[in-house]
Amino acid sequence: MQAARGTPVGTAEAAGGSRGRVRVVFVLVALAAYATDQVSKAIAVAKLDGRPDVNVVGELLQLNLVRNPGAAFSIGTELTPVLTVLSVIAAVTVLWFARRLGSPAWAVALGLLLAGVTGNLTDRILRPPGSFQGHVIDFLQLPNWPVFNVADMCINVAAGLIILQAFRGMRLDGTRESDDDADAIEAERHAAPAAEDTTEVESE
């Protein structure tokens, strides 16, 4: 028996199993990164509120609690409700694309991206001063760099992985752009003899 479009049943089942494992990777990465973000923020609020900066690695890494009403780097501080809506749209978009996942690297990238977006979105929805206007908890500070959090790190790492996958020509479903070129060349090779046979028949 064969699956749709002539694909062997065994091959189709193997592909389905692979996709299932990739989706598990996506879910586990998203949950682990999201939990890390939320737990770290809770600890930061409990331990750093009202305290001076804490040096972790000299002045290279400091803990400095900041409540950020804006986007990354405190941009758009007056647009918190708008940023909340945009975050919801971004999370839904990531989940939509995740349905096509077939690449482990893409699964990690989208899992981190979803965790980062929903991590900061949770702050905007649940934290003071009000629903959909909450301030994001930032607490990690590097020299000459805005204060950030684990969710921001997830988003940036995800962006790097997405760019890398794009340069590699790797699609969400695990196929490569170069595979299409190889298929086209193979199709041309098979088409050429057929064209020659047709010409010979017409000549006769």
Side-chain angles (χ1 to χ4, degrees):
M1 292 180 62
Q2 291 187 331
R5 299 185 181 179
T7 303
V9 173
T11 303
E13 291 177 350
S18 177
R19 283 181 180 272
R21 289 190 291 272
V22 168
R23 288 169 182 167
V24 169
V25 171
F26 165 74
V27 171
L28 291 178
V29 169
L31 289 176
Y34 176 82
T36 301
D37 174 68
Q38 292 300 299
V39 170
S40 64
K41 287 174 177 174
I43 294 174
V45 171
K47 301 294 185 180
L48 300 176
D49 197 12
R51 291 188 56 185
D53 295 355
V54 177
N55 293 334
V56 178
V57 184
E59 295 184 356
L60 179 63
L61 175 62
Q62 296 179 323
L63 301 181
N64 175 21
L65 183 64
V66 174
R67 291 175 171 84
N68 177 16
F73 312 136
S74 297
I75 298 173
T77 56
E78 302 299 325
L79 301 175
T80 305
V82 176
L83 294 172
T84 303
V85 173
L86 292 176
S87 296
V88 172
I89 294 173
V92 172
T93 302
V94 172
L95 289 172
W96 175 264
F97 281 111
R99 300 180 312 143
R100 298 165 47 196
L101 279 172
S103 162
W106 270 107
V108 173
L110 292 190
L112 289 174
L113 182 58
L114 182 63
V117 170
T118 54
N120 286 338
L121 176 61
T122 300
D123 288 6
R124 299 187 193 284
I125 294 176
L126 300 180
R127 293 190 181 276
S131 182
F132 286 87
Q133 298 183 15
H135 294 178
V136 174
I137 300 299
D138 293 330
F139 60 94
L140 299 170
Q141 185 169 19
L142 299 174
N144 304 314
W145 194 260
V147 186
F148 58 98
N149 57 39
V150 174
D152 297 332
M153 294 169 58
C154 290
I155 293 172
N156 281 280
V157 172
L161 288 174
I162 290 171
I163 292 172
L164 177 61
Q165 290 299 91
F167 274 115
R168 293 178 61 202
M170 181 68 74
R171 298 191 182 97
L172 279 170
D173 61 4
T175 60
R176 291 180 181 272
E177 294 178 0
S178 58
D179 293 339
D180 291 342
D181 297 334
D183 291 341
I185 294 172
E186 188 66 20
E188 290 177 0
R189 290 177 58 187
H190 286 291
E196 292 176 358
D197 292 342
T198 303
T199 302
E200 291 177 359
V201 170
E202 290 176 350
S203 299
E204 294 176 358

